[in-house]
Amino acid sequence: MALNVPGLVATIIFYLLVLGIGIWASIKSKRDENRTQANHADMALLGNRKISLVVGIFTTTATWVGGTFIIGTAETVYDPKLGLIWAVMPLAATVAFILGGLFFAEPMRKRRYVTMMDPFHIKYGDRLSGLLSVAPLMSEIIWVTSTLISLGVTMSVILDLSYAVCIWISAAVAITYTLLGGLYSVAYTDIIQLTLIFITSWLCIPFLFMSPASVDITTTSFNHTFQAPWVGTLTTDKAWRWIDIFLLLSVGDLGFQDFHQRTLSASSSATAKLRCYAAAFVIPTFGIPPVLIGAVAASTDWNLTSYGSPPPFERGQTGLILPLSLHHLTPPYISVIGIGAVAAAVMSSTDSALLSAASIFSSNIYKKILRTKASENEIRWVIRISVVLFGLAGTSLTFLHTGVMAFWVLGGEIAYIMMFPQLVCVLFFNISNGYGATVGFLLGFFLRLLCGEPLIGLPPAIHFPGCSLENGVYVQYSPIRTISMLVSFSTILLVSYLVSLLFNKGLIPEKWDVFHVKVQHAAQTQVPADHNNSQPMYENGGVLDPMLESTY
């Protein structure tokens, strides 16, 4: 296949458009910063908390409707072993944003946090919180990797360009405009990106339905035609695994910095909640086109196409089903339009992950641990350098594995198992302390490793009920991710309670209390009636956060 020149030209035009909007937004950001005399870190990371409701809804939605969302949904629907019933990403996102709006958006925005790790610094101190910050930092870098892979495989199939060239060019564009304008550039480019995703993805659908190689998707939904019905089945022995994946994709989203960065940048707590509820409604609508693409692919006699036989599933190319469908089932100019949808989706998620990673590193690691007296100008450069370095790191990881789902699962499990229980405990459970956080973090991490993961070739050391050997690989049908998360959560609370009891009863010498839980206990028992006049101190010498105080 020769290089698709028209497609390449269209892609270049799209990238120039996005880059131009990003540069314009960076100029706007600098003007607003000079006019309002805002702190550069607040402007770069949170848009000075002045992102309007409409723009906020666009950028929140665009962050979640990424390349993994689109390609992963189409792949799941097409896969004969899974089907529509397993394509839970759109519905899971709805649940995530409803939960976020109900329980997390208002309290975190009200206390004006910069990142999701700020309450950890207030309650546990800088050193432990800095170490815990490595987990969300890694999940963001991995998110960059998974989104770039989805674009690389799409462009390499349709344009016949080198996989490496596609990824590096896309990464360079996203890094450039994120570097220049911070959240302003990310938010305003998200508007054009989300618009393109909606228009281009729906433009492709009629042509897919008209393909002579495909039959009516309603006839294949419950009938075995070319493969198993694309609706899929959910048997009793796999029910727990389905629940596990659904919780990973819904509740686990609350462990990502991207989620909280969108609510923290809102102009008010009420606006932050409205963003969540609006996104919960809008995001599933973007899941319809990839579902239809997967259904059409499952209803296609691939031997009648230029792809030939055997079909993608038998060739091990299920992960490429979206670009393959666009390339072989639609006219060339329509497949080029389809690239626009995937490219826009990837850029909208990649830039958000880059900025989130830079936020955590600059605010929670560099400023709090490495350089506590860093100037504003120094932090400005740290943010810029972080965007570049984390972008390069995420891009480099794309060459270790070309599977979108492998990196997506890894990043999601870090957020779900290691960060979500930590965040819930630090926000809503007064008893939690540094000892419980440390033990819970480590126990959750090692338990998950012992459960194994076929996607990365890790065999299980613990075989839960239902674990079976399939094609030489052990598959766990128990909800191992949720089990690991609950073990981490309960360990945080149990160890925190026991250690606090031992120190406060004098059963362990106070000089061994490295996290100062006794001081923390004293501060908690002396909360003044008038919180406006005085604020108690935590063990790290910082002012007790009012939100945490409200949970006593």
Side-chain angles (χ1 to χ4, degrees):
M1 188 176 93
L3 176 66
N4 188 336
V5 176
L8 180 61
V9 172
T11 304
I12 292 174
I13 292 174
F14 165 73
Y15 279 178
L16 290 176
L17 174 63
V18 170
L19 186 60
I21 294 173
I23 293 173
W24 169 82
S26 70
I27 296 173
K28 174 179 171 57
S29 173
K30 291 174 182 175
R31 287 177 179 172
D32 289 351
E33 182 180 343
N34 293 332
R35 186 181 71 252
T36 61
Q37 297 298 307
N39 178 277
H40 176 76
D42 281 346
M43 182 63 72
L45 304 180
L46 299 173
N48 201 29
R49 305 185 197 269
K50 298 296 184 182
I51 302 296
S52 66
L53 176 61
V54 174
V55 175
I57 292 173
F58 267 96
T59 187
T60 302
T61 304
T63 298
W64 253 250
V65 182
T68 306
F69 179 93
I70 291 177
I71 289 183
T73 300
E75 174 187 347
T76 304
V77 174
Y78 167 73
D79 193 333
K81 295 181 179 179
L82 300 174
L84 176 64
I85 197 169
W86 290 87
V88 298
M89 280 193 203
L91 181 59
T94 295
V95 173
F97 278 97
I98 290 175
L99 292 175
L102 289 174
F103 301 108
F104 292 88
E106 182 175 1
M108 294 192 74
R109 173 58 184 87
K110 188 176 182 181
R111 302 311 168 201
R112 299 180 64 84
Y113 294 140
V114 175
T115 75
M116 62 177 283
M117 298 306 298
D118 286 354
F120 291 86
H121 284 277
I122 294 169
K123 194 168 188 180
Y124 299 156
D126 292 340
R127 293 184 179 179
L128 176 59
S129 299
L131 293 175
L132 293 176
S133 298
V134 174
L137 181 64
M138 291 301 300
S139 67
E140 300 298 342
I141 294 175
I142 291 171
W143 192 341
V144 171
T145 303
S146 65
T147 56
L148 287 176
I149 289 175
S150 63
L151 180 58
V153 297
T154 301
M155 293 178 68
S156 61
V157 168
I158 297 178
L159 299 183
D160 196 29
L161 265 178
S162 164
Y163 172 79
V165 171
C166 296
I167 285 180
W168 280 109
I169 292 176
S170 305
V173 174
I175 290 172
T176 300
Y177 71 74
T178 306
L179 177 70
L180 292 175
L183 188 60
Y184 260 91
S185 290
V186 171
Y188 283 101
T189 53
D190 279 347
I191 295 176
I192 186 66
Q193 288 161 355
L194 195 65
T195 303
L196 283 172
I197 293 170
F198 185 83
I199 295 174
T200 56
S201 60
W202 276 107
L203 277 176
C204 297
I205 298 302
F207 292 91
L208 285 165
F209 281 152
M210 292 187 293
S211 172
S214 303
V215 300
D216 188 348
I217 62 173
T218 59
T219 63
T220 58
S221 56
F222 294 99
N223 299 302
H224 194 293
T225 307
F226 304 112
Q227 62 176 59
W230 58 265
V231 169
T233 57
L234 181 61
T235 56
T236 304
D237 59 321
K238 295 182 179 179
W240 280 113
R241 192 179 186 190
W242 186 94
I243 294 172
D244 197 30
I245 292 174
F246 184 83
L247 291 175
L248 169 70
L249 291 175
S250 55
V251 176
D253 283 350
L254 298 171
F256 280 104
Q257 164 64 13
D258 298 77
F259 180 95
H260 301 288
Q261 189 162 45
R262 294 304 175 273
T263 58
L264 293 173
S265 64
S267 56
S268 66
S269 299
T271 303
K273 295 177 69 174
L274 285 174
R275 281 188 190 182
C276 291
Y277 298 143
F281 172 78
V282 174
I283 289 175
T285 63
F286 286 85
I288 298 175
V291 165
L292 295 177
I293 292 173
V296 170
S299 308
T300 296
D301 183 353
W302 288 92
N303 195 38
L304 299 179
T305 69
S306 55
Y307 183 81
S309 184
F313 174 73
E314 294 182 17
R315 297 192 196 184
Q317 294 185 330
T318 304
L320 300 176
I321 197 59
L322 187 142
L324 289 175
S325 298
L326 294 175
H327 183 59
H328 296 284
L329 303 180
T330 66
Y333 62 92
I334 294 298
S335 64
V336 170
I337 292 175
I339 289 181
V342 178
V346 167
M347 302 289 261
S348 65
S349 293
T350 301
D351 55 16
S352 299
L354 287 175
L355 192 62
S356 295
S359 300
I360 291 176
F361 179 77
S362 60
S363 298
N364 303 115
I365 297 178
Y366 190 86
K367 178 67 175 176
K368 296 290 177 65
I369 299 177
L370 302 180
R371 287 274 295 169
T372 57
K373 296 182 179 180
S375 65
E376 182 179 342
N377 188 55
E378 184 177 342
I379 294 298
R380 181 197 306 262
W381 281 103
V382 169
I383 293 172
R384 292 173 176 172
I385 294 172
S386 298
V387 169
V388 175
L389 292 180
F390 295 142
L392 294 176
T395 306
S396 299
L397 289 175
T398 60
F399 301 100
L400 295 179
H401 197 292
T402 57
V404 174
M405 301 305 289
F407 285 104
W408 165 75
V409 167
L410 180 58
E413 290 193 4
I414 292 174
Y416 182 46
I417 298 171
M418 301 172 70
M419 290 316 303
F420 173 71
Q422 296 281 351
L423 186 63
V424 171
C425 287
V426 78
L427 292 179
F428 305 115
F429 289 87
N430 172 53
I431 192 61
S432 67
N433 56 45
Y435 300 101
T438 302
V439 178
F441 184 91
L442 294 175
L443 190 57
F445 173 73
F446 286 112
L447 177 60
R448 182 60 188 93
L449 284 181
L450 293 173
C451 292
E453 178 52 60
L455 285 175
I456 59 175
L458 182 66
I462 299 177
H463 293 243
F464 283 93
C467 181
S468 62
L469 185 63
E470 300 178 4
N471 299 321
V473 178
Y474 280 101
V475 179
Q476 302 265 25
Y477 285 102
S478 294
I480 55 175
R481 300 171 184 88
T482 301
I483 290 172
S484 299
M485 184 275 291
L486 291 175
V487 166
S488 177
F489 175 73
S490 58
T491 300
I492 294 170
L493 297 181
L494 180 60
V495 172
S496 294
Y497 173 77
L498 292 176
V499 173
S500 179
L501 183 67
L502 292 173
F503 276 118
N504 289 316
K505 294 292 185 180
L507 298 177
I508 300 179
E510 188 175 346
K511 63 181 180 180
W512 292 358
D513 187 7
V514 295
F515 290 119
H516 307 292
V517 280
K518 197 165 186 179
V519 176
Q520 177 180 332
H521 177 76
Q524 294 167 359
T525 57
Q526 297 175 12
V527 176
D530 184 2
H531 297 176
N532 295 321
N533 296 329
S534 60
Q535 292 177 305
M537 305 292 286
Y538 260 141
E539 72 272 17
N540 63 348
V543 177
L544 173 65
D545 184 76
M547 181 191 69
L548 298 176
E549 184 180 324
S550 67
T551 64
Y552 297 162

